[in-house]
Amino acid sequence: QVQLVESGGGLVQPGGSLRLSCAASGTIFSINAMGWYRQGPGKQRELVAIVKSGGNTNYADSVKGRFTISRDNAKNTVYLQMNSLKPEDTAVYYCNANVRRRSWVEFGTEYWGQGTQVTVSS
């Protein structure tokens, strides 16, 4: 099994910053991609940012220029640096990982963290 544990959420004023972390543990051969999704009040869960094992990244248009995703492959950890936060960034942020669990199995399995609340409010 694989577990994802998020940390770093909290309450911040508009314009402030937060840094989220997510560490994967368990039976892991490699992680193909790690990312962050969020679900705001009354909204669908949406992709925020993804980083693949080779370092390529994708961002939602709404966070480009403000958020930065990075990962430490040796630690199976992904980070999300969030700057210039806006009230519309308020959401539960979920860590996601596509995990290759065995060297002889090429496909990856999706895992989700429990979510961490980010609230941007004055």
PDB file of all heavy atoms in Angstrom, residues 1 22 24 38 91 97:
ATOM      1  N   GLN A   1       0.826  -1.185   0.000  1.00  0.00           N
ATOM      2  CA  GLN A   1       0.000   0.000   0.000  1.00  0.00           C
ATOM      3  C   GLN A   1       0.866   1.242   0.000  1.00  0.00           C
ATOM      4  O   GLN A   1       2.020   1.200   0.400  1.00  0.00           O
ATOM      5  CB  GLN A   1      -0.930   0.012   1.211  1.00  0.00           C
ATOM      6  CG  GLN A   1      -1.960  -1.090   1.202  1.00  0.00           C
ATOM      7  CD  GLN A   1      -2.960  -0.947   2.333  1.00  0.00           C
ATOM      8  OE1 GLN A   1      -2.837  -0.050   3.171  1.00  0.00           O
ATOM      9  NE2 GLN A   1      -3.936  -1.830   2.358  1.00  0.00           N
ATOM     10  N   CYS A  22       3.923  17.032   0.534  1.00  0.00           N
ATOM     11  CA  CYS A  22       3.269  15.733   0.488  1.00  0.00           C
ATOM     12  C   CYS A  22       4.336  14.663   0.357  1.00  0.00           C
ATOM     13  O   CYS A  22       5.099  14.668  -0.617  1.00  0.00           O
ATOM     14  CB  CYS A  22       2.287  15.661  -0.677  1.00  0.00           C
ATOM     15  SG  CYS A  22       1.558  14.022  -0.925  1.00  0.00           S
ATOM     16  N   ALA A  24       5.123  10.589   0.124  1.00  0.00           N
ATOM     17  CA  ALA A  24       4.590   9.271  -0.181  1.00  0.00           C
ATOM     18  C   ALA A  24       5.425   8.206   0.509  1.00  0.00           C
ATOM     19  O   ALA A  24       6.654   8.284   0.541  1.00  0.00           O
ATOM     20  CB  ALA A  24       4.574   9.025  -1.689  1.00  0.00           C
ATOM     21  N   ARG A  38      -7.289  20.598  -6.139  1.00  0.00           N
ATOM     22  CA  ARG A  38      -8.010  21.310  -5.100  1.00  0.00           C
ATOM     23  C   ARG A  38      -9.503  21.293  -5.398  1.00  0.00           C
ATOM     24  O   ARG A  38      -9.920  21.171  -6.548  1.00  0.00           O
ATOM     25  CB  ARG A  38      -7.518  22.750  -4.958  1.00  0.00           C
ATOM     26  CG  ARG A  38      -7.833  23.648  -6.146  1.00  0.00           C
ATOM     27  CD  ARG A  38      -7.184  25.015  -5.965  1.00  0.00           C
ATOM     28  NE  ARG A  38      -7.499  25.913  -7.065  1.00  0.00           N
ATOM     29  CZ  ARG A  38      -6.957  27.107  -7.232  1.00  0.00           C
ATOM     30  NH1 ARG A  38      -6.057  27.564  -6.356  1.00  0.00           N
ATOM     31  NH2 ARG A  38      -7.301  27.862  -8.261  1.00  0.00           N
ATOM     32  N   ALA A  91      -9.555  26.343  -0.700  1.00  0.00           N
ATOM     33  CA  ALA A  91      -9.975  25.013  -1.110  1.00  0.00           C
ATOM     34  C   ALA A  91      -9.304  23.985  -0.218  1.00  0.00           C
ATOM     35  O   ALA A  91      -8.376  24.292   0.538  1.00  0.00           O
ATOM     36  CB  ALA A  91      -9.598  24.751  -2.572  1.00  0.00           C
ATOM     37  N   ALA A  97      -0.539  11.011  -6.476  1.00  0.00           N
ATOM     38  CA  ALA A  97       0.660  10.380  -7.006  1.00  0.00           C
ATOM     39  C   ALA A  97       0.281   9.184  -7.854  1.00  0.00           C
ATOM     40  O   ALA A  97      -0.602   8.403  -7.485  1.00  0.00           O
ATOM     41  CB  ALA A  97       1.597   9.945  -5.889  1.00  0.00           C
TER      42      ALA A  97
END
